[in-house]
Amino acid sequence: MGFTIQTYQLLGLPPLPNIYVTIKGSYAVKKQLIPAQAGSTYIITFTTYFQASLEDPVITQKDMCFSIQALPNPAVLYLIIYDYVKGQLDPHQTLTFIDD
């Protein structure tokens, strides 16, 4: 499961090739207690891999993490992770993402 950043162009430069982004199915969840608030949060950590396509070797990778208040179903957690990654890669929502 992953997504492709569609070919795009920056400031008149030649178009950049598609980039495939995935977490390769691995993430970790750690519960963090917050005594002052009598509650907890969950820290989600994962590694994001960047490739030219799904079949190509990894170009680079980046460790990322974020926190959530409630732990959702694992299938929903993947969507939350990918939405987080997309937001980090494109905070101004100018890129086109194609989901698998």
Side-chain angles (χ1 to χ4, degrees):
M1 181 176 175
F3 60 88
T4 300
I5 303 173
Q6 198 171 35
T7 302
Y8 58 97
Q9 197 166 354
L10 297 173
L11 302 173
L13 297 173
L16 300 171
N18 290 345
I19 301 211
Y20 185 76
V21 181
T22 185
I23 62 167
K24 296 194 182 279
S26 58
Y27 61 85
V29 178
K30 180 180 176 185
K31 187 174 185 176
Q32 182 178 20
L33 296 175
I34 305 172
Q37 297 176 357
S40 61
T41 61
Y42 295 89
I43 308 298
I44 313 299
T45 58
F46 54 94
T47 302
T48 306
Y49 300 90
F50 300 87
Q51 303 162 253
S53 72
L54 177 60
E55 297 81 23
D56 288 322
V58 173
I59 298 168
T60 190
Q61 63 190 54
K62 181 178 180 179
D63 294 329
M64 302 177 91
C65 71
F66 64 95
S67 65
I68 55 177
Q69 297 298 317
L71 196 57
N73 173 312
V76 174
L77 186 53
Y78 273 108
L79 298 175
I80 293 169
I81 290 171
Y82 280 114
D83 285 345
Y84 174 81
V85 171
K86 289 174 185 176
Q88 294 298 302
L89 294 174
D90 187 22
H92 302 292
Q93 300 178 347
T94 58
L95 299 176
T96 301
F97 298 110
I98 302 170
D99 295 322
D100 283 356

